[in-house]
Structures are given as structure tokens and as C-alpha cells.
Amino acid sequence: MVRVRIETSAGPITVALDTRRAPATTANFLAYVDDGRLDGTSFYRAARSRRTPGTGFVQGGIRTDAKRILPPFPLETTDKTGIRHLDATISMARGQSAEAASGNFFITAGAAPAMDARPGYQGYAAFGRVVGGMDAVKRILAVPTGGGTGAMRGQMILKPIRIVRAVRLDGTPRPTGRPKVWKLVPRR
């Protein structure tokens, strides 16, 4: 397990990532962390369950910021890793292709078995769990939402929760060495 602290404007969230069962997904997330690509982004979606108040998921990351994106990688879905979407699970959101992910992730509040792979449904790539800061996740889940289209209708956070920075707590950071284009100041 490798722990990462995600410092947000709603409080810190610490996640433990399963490098053994989900090595590619964990490596992808750590590349975003080690490069600082998640710093200054936000939690922008809060999907609340209508049937069970206080449950659902929050989604954050780079959204569609092409300056921060790393190459997509194949999803390690739950049928490959055995990691299920239980309460406090961190998982990758899908990228433009249903078979790949990039720099967006979500955290569950309550069990979310509908996110697990099953016959005829690919599911998502769970790769760890929250080990501290579920109170911050629940605060984010409770903020006012609206807007959005399709599956995200009514779920977009009206005042996104800022991700101040994400930092690896275990092991040695391994930045990708790719340009940090989002940090460049435009010429005047």
C-alpha cells in the first residue's frame, strides 16, 4: 500500500493505494500526484443516492484539462483486481474511451456494487480506500449541486471543492519528467 494525502478546501483525505492488486491504476494515479498534476484542480461532481441519504460518490481530478493529461492506460476493472466498490473506495473514472482512464477519480460514500464489473458491464477500476478524512468526503458529497447533462445531470458541484495539492506519503516520488504546461505563464 502507498498512502496519498489529498488536501482539499473541505479538509484532508488520505487514501491507501493497492500497488499489488491494481499496479497500473496505482502507477497512473501516482504519476499525477508526483507530477503535481492534481494540485489546483477540484472535486467537481457529487452524485448522491436518492434511496439512501448520505451515500453516493464524489468525483475530482483534471476534468478535461489537456495541459495536465497523461496518456490513458487500460482499465484494471474489479473483475481483474478483485477490489470491490465498498464504502470509502477510490476508483478511476473512465476516460474518453470506456476502456481507458486518465486523471479523474471518484471516492464512494457507502457501498457501490453497481460500479463493479459483471457479465455485460465493464465496471470501474477501484484501486484503494480512504484511511482518513471520510468526514471531508461526506462534506463534499453534501454541497449544493446542479447543472450537468446525461448521467451527470444535477450532479455538478456549484462551487467546486479545491484540491490544493496531493502528496505521496510513502515511498519516493517518481515524476514523469513530462512538461508541466499548465504552470507556464502566458507571455504578455
Side-chain angles (χ1 to χ4, degrees):
M1 294 288 190
V2 173
R3 292 172 305 141
V4 169
R5 185 177 59 244
I6 305 166
E7 298 172 7
T8 79
S9 56
I13 302 166
T14 302
V15 293
L17 311 179
D18 193 329
T19 60
R20 185 179 55 82
R21 295 193 294 169
T25 307
T26 298
N28 174 73
F29 188 78
L30 288 173
Y32 280 90
V33 169
D34 293 346
D35 274 4
R37 290 172 189 274
L38 295 176
D39 300 358
T41 62
S42 65
F43 278 97
Y44 53 85
R45 182 180 182 194
R48 294 182 282 274
S49 170
R50 291 189 179 127
R51 288 182 290 192
T52 313
T55 65
F57 66 89
V58 297
Q59 185 171 331
I62 66 167
R63 293 186 83 160
T64 58
D65 187 346
K67 293 177 182 175
R68 293 177 186 260
I69 198 165
L70 292 170
F73 70 98
L75 282 179
E76 289 176 308
T77 54
T78 56
D79 58 338
K80 296 175 182 139
T81 65
I83 304 170
R84 301 285 177 230
H85 288 90
L86 305 173
D87 182 35
T89 298
I90 184 169
S91 188
M92 292 307 294
R94 292 190 193 122
Q96 290 184 356
S97 160
E99 292 81 36
S102 62
N104 294 296
F105 62 95
F106 63 92
I107 298 173
T108 61
M115 303 283 194
D116 293 339
R118 58 187 176 275
Y121 180 68
Q122 182 180 19
Y124 290 85
F127 64 105
R129 60 178 288 103
V130 175
V131 294
M134 269 310 285
D135 55 331
V137 172
K138 290 179 180 180
R139 275 193 294 279
I140 297 167
L141 185 63
V143 300
T145 57
T149 60
M152 294 185 188
R153 184 177 176 91
Q155 299 177 354
M156 304 312 289
I157 296 174
L158 298 178
K159 292 183 180 176
I161 302 298
R162 190 162 179 255
I163 295 174
V164 178
R165 72 181 191 137
V167 61
R168 180 196 290 243
L169 299 177
D170 300 311
T172 304
R174 294 186 198 108
T176 64
R178 291 178 174 266
K180 296 180 180 184
V181 181
W182 70 95
K183 290 187 171 188
L184 297 177
V185 177
R187 291 184 186 194
R188 293 183 183 227

